[in-house]
Amino acid sequence: MLLIIGDSITLGAAETLGQEVVRYLTPTYVDRLGQLLPDVKIMAEGGVHRTTTEGAAELPGMLKRHVPDVVLLMLGGNDAELNWKRFVLSDGAIIQHKISMERYRENLEKMIHMIRLAGAVPVVSDFPGASMQRRAQYVGTLAKREIWPMIERKGGAMEWRRRVGTYTAVASDVATRTGATGAWYAAALNGGEEMYCDDGAHPNEAGHGVIAEVLAPQLSSVLAFVRPAALARA
């Protein structure tokens, strides 16, 4: 069985406000993976705004509930997300990510260790950066402020991609150093404005389709080496 642990993208969110998902998409990448991998039982645990810190805290319970053979960690986007409240209130002076890169690394390594102790195979993923112009417009509407000029003063979309890239580089490094499998899909979405919902943070239906199509062959390779009988759908 494949267990996917993710955030609001895994829930199929198109838009979130606070801790609420106000719009959902269908089908999600999870649904599409079910079609592309019909012989694999897939369970998904998504959480709104879930970071790797929260994922690490919740992981023991999820492992106990599902007893998976393979665990795909679809986390990291919320770790790298900008603390928009501080950014806006400081007129763009304070750039702070929700979870530091050091803690992000520690959390990934901790989860990989727990997954292996549970007898499952860990798979680490990267994550797409937001569509910054759409994100700035969305946040600006909520804050009733012009956000894009603040972002431009700090290097614009290029600087944001650089910052997200430092986090995804950590995921790649952790996978290499721990021997965990990597399942990489972010490059297929990054730079594609047409792949995102209006809030700029969540992939739209087309984006979810791309995620599934890119992940499916990578996951299939991992699943091929894991107890075939245990992976069969009930």
Side-chain angles (χ1 to χ4, degrees):
M1 190 263 281
L2 168 64
L3 171 62
I4 301 173
I5 299 175
D7 49 30
S8 56
I9 294 176
T10 297
L11 285 174
E15 182 181 355
T16 59
L17 286 174
Q19 292 299 316
E20 296 291 328
V21 178
V22 296
R23 284 200 303 127
Y24 286 92
L25 300 173
T26 185
T28 68
Y29 81 86
V30 178
D31 299 323
R32 187 79 179 104
L33 280 176
Q35 297 170 351
L36 295 172
L37 303 172
D39 296 326
V40 179
K41 182 178 181 181
I42 301 175
M43 297 296 296
E45 290 267 10
V48 180
H49 303 312
R50 180 183 280 152
T51 65
T52 55
T53 297
E54 294 158 344
E58 298 165 349
L59 181 57
M62 290 187 277
L63 291 172
K64 186 175 182 179
R65 280 196 301 276
H66 298 291
V67 194
D69 298 284
V70 176
V71 180
L72 171 61
L73 298 174
M74 291 283 282
L75 297 169
N78 286 306
D79 296 59
E81 174 76 335
L82 191 66
N83 185 326
W84 285 104
K85 184 175 182 179
R86 288 197 172 195
F87 184 77
V88 173
L89 291 177
S90 68
D91 196 33
I94 298 177
I95 299 178
Q96 183 183 69
H97 300 276
K98 288 187 177 179
I99 302 293
S100 71
M101 277 191 293
E102 293 76 15
R103 178 58 62 85
Y104 173 57
R105 178 185 295 275
E106 292 171 4
N107 289 338
L108 284 179
E109 292 175 347
K110 182 178 180 180
M111 287 190 285
I112 289 169
H113 180 65
M114 286 191 286
I115 291 166
R116 283 180 169 147
L117 283 180
V121 175
V123 181
V124 179
S125 75
D126 55 4
F127 54 90
S131 169
M132 283 304 288
Q133 287 188 317
R134 290 193 185 193
R135 191 68 176 146
Q137 183 177 6
Y138 181 77
V139 173
T141 299
L142 296 177
K144 297 180 173 60
R145 293 279 303 276
E146 277 290 329
I147 305 297
W148 188 247
M150 302 180 196
I151 294 173
E152 285 190 315
R153 288 198 298 270
K154 295 297 183 179
M158 184 176 294
E159 170 62 13
W160 178 247
R161 285 194 293 270
R162 185 196 68 79
R163 285 178 168 272
V164 170
T166 61
Y167 276 77
T168 57
V170 167
S172 178
D173 181 64
V174 167
T176 298
R177 291 195 306 103
T178 63
T181 299
W184 316 120
Y185 71 94
L189 290 182
N190 287 340
E193 293 281 328
E194 71 282 0
M195 296 288 185
Y196 290 88
C197 295
D198 290 341
D199 69 359
H202 296 96
N204 57 21
E205 290 91 342
H208 274 266
V210 169
I211 293 171
E213 288 168 9
V214 174
L215 286 180
Q218 298 179 77
L219 293 172
S220 181
S221 296
V222 178
L223 294 164
F225 291 98
V226 180
R227 303 185 297 276
L231 293 169
R233 286 187 183 274

